[in-house]
Amino acid sequence: MTSALPYTLIATDLDGTLLRAGDTVSPRSYTALATARAVGAQHIIVTGRPVPQVRHVLYGLGYRGLVVCGQGAQVYDAARGRVLHSVPLDRELAEVALGKIEAEIGEVYVAVNREGVDVEMLMGPGYRMPRPHLATVRVRRRADLWSAPINKVLLQHPELDDDELTRVARSVVGHLVNVTMAGEHTVELQPPGIDKASGLARAAEVLGVCASGTIAFGDMPNDIPMFAWAAHGVAMANAHRELRAVADEVTLSNEEDGIAVVLERLYG
């Protein structure tokens, strides 16, 4: 790998960033990434989705590298179909955190992502799945959510918007778990100390690259730690205001091939 490259590692979020509607990647973005790889850069996907919810995207891309999943809790080897590293969320801690949140704002609707490669997302009563095409199972009781190891909890509130729910949850249980807002109707609790930066740092070490050689693309507040870790952070035009505020630059939206615009400038 040559030091003449503008960046040796390209880290991309998926939803709202690399992916367009329907979980698709445009031919232009696909070509821009292929051009960057051809001159020696590496591409890594860093997503809030757990492994089971990202494998179909990887297959469609022909992606064979490492993937940081579950907001940094998992490192997945797409070529071998193996999880190399995973940090579970303690289920008793999750229940305690939920109890504290509900004591503050009333009932929340809850889902969980379970540990594993071929497992469905479990949704408790009232929870609405933002992406209905992904594999889910509805359970009748919240207690059923804790039947197997999990890597994160997803929250929704019948009245509060995502920003307010995130703010309240962080103020109440931020000392117990990591609270992040990853997208519309997607407020999440992760193991303490786990975020996209921690997962990306672990994967980058395996790849033999460092933060100073990394450019990162994202659209939501869960990408803020990744931007802080990378040398250069690029927010999409459709990005949340909190991410745009800390970005080094803002590109076009995911629907307008914003990633390709930047990569063509750097590697074209």
Side-chain angles (χ1 to χ4, degrees):
M1 195 170 295
T2 174
S3 59
L5 289 174
Y7 299 98
T8 53
L9 183 64
I10 302 163
T12 64
D13 175 45
L14 283 180
D15 297 292
T17 303
L18 180 61
L19 296 183
R20 299 190 299 180
D23 280 3
T24 59
V25 177
S26 75
R28 183 179 177 186
S29 292
Y30 186 91
T31 299
L33 285 166
T35 298
R37 290 195 302 270
V39 297
Q42 297 189 69
H43 172 219
I44 186 168
I45 290 171
V46 185
T47 178
R49 296 194 194 194
V51 171
Q53 293 183 1
V54 78
R55 294 173 73 201
H56 69 288
V57 176
L58 305 178
Y59 180 80
L61 274 173
Y63 185 91
R64 305 284 289 171
L66 297 185
V67 191
V68 177
C69 298
Q71 305 294 9
Q74 301 170 313
V75 177
Y76 176 67
D77 184 337
R80 293 188 286 171
R82 288 182 51 202
V83 176
L84 303 182
H85 176 76
S86 187
V87 180
L89 174 59
D90 184 273
R91 286 168 280 177
E92 291 185 7
L93 178 62
E95 286 194 279
V96 169
L98 285 174
K100 290 180 177 294
I101 292 169
E102 291 187 319
E104 188 75 17
I105 57 173
E107 182 184 16
V108 294
Y109 304 140
V110 183
V112 300
N113 288 144
R114 293 183 291 166
E115 289 276 271
V117 173
D118 293 302
V119 293
E120 300 93 347
M121 176 180 177
L122 300 183
M123 301 188 301
Y127 190 89
R128 306 179 310 280
M129 179 57 179
R131 301 181 184 89
H133 61 284
L134 298 176
T136 60
V137 171
R138 178 76 64 183
V139 300
R140 300 175 67 179
R141 303 175 306 146
R142 179 177 292 180
D144 296 331
L145 297 174
W146 320 121
S147 61
I150 63 174
N151 56 61
K152 65 177 175 178
V153 172
L154 301 94
L155 309 178
Q156 295 172 353
H157 192 273
E159 298 175 2
L160 299 182
D161 65 21
D162 301 322
D163 290 307
E164 183 65 9
L165 177 56
T166 302
R167 186 195 66 76
V168 172
R170 193 171 286 155
S171 69
V172 173
V173 299
H175 61 294
L176 296 176
V177 293
N178 186 38
V179 181
T180 188
M181 199 252 280
E184 187 177 10
H185 307 307
T186 313
V187 177
E188 301 181 355
L189 310 181
Q190 286 94 39
I194 295 299
D195 56 29
K196 284 193 174 185
S198 66
L200 180 54
R202 178 177 289 273
E205 184 177 2
V206 175
L207 296 173
V209 295
C210 59
S212 62
T214 301
I215 183 171
F217 294 84
D219 74 306
M220 293 302 291
N222 63 326
D223 295 312
I224 290 174
M226 179 168 70
F227 277 26
W229 184 86
H232 193 78
V234 183
M236 315 306 288
N238 50 287
H240 191 280
R241 63 183 182 278
E242 290 181 13
L243 187 69
R244 291 200 306 270
V246 301
D248 296 297
E249 69 173 291
V250 178
T251 185
L252 299 181
S253 73
N254 61 316
E255 297 291 344
E256 299 171 301
D257 294 315
I259 287 179
V261 169
V262 175
L263 296 184
E264 288 165 358
R265 184 187 79 221
L266 293 173
Y267 300 95

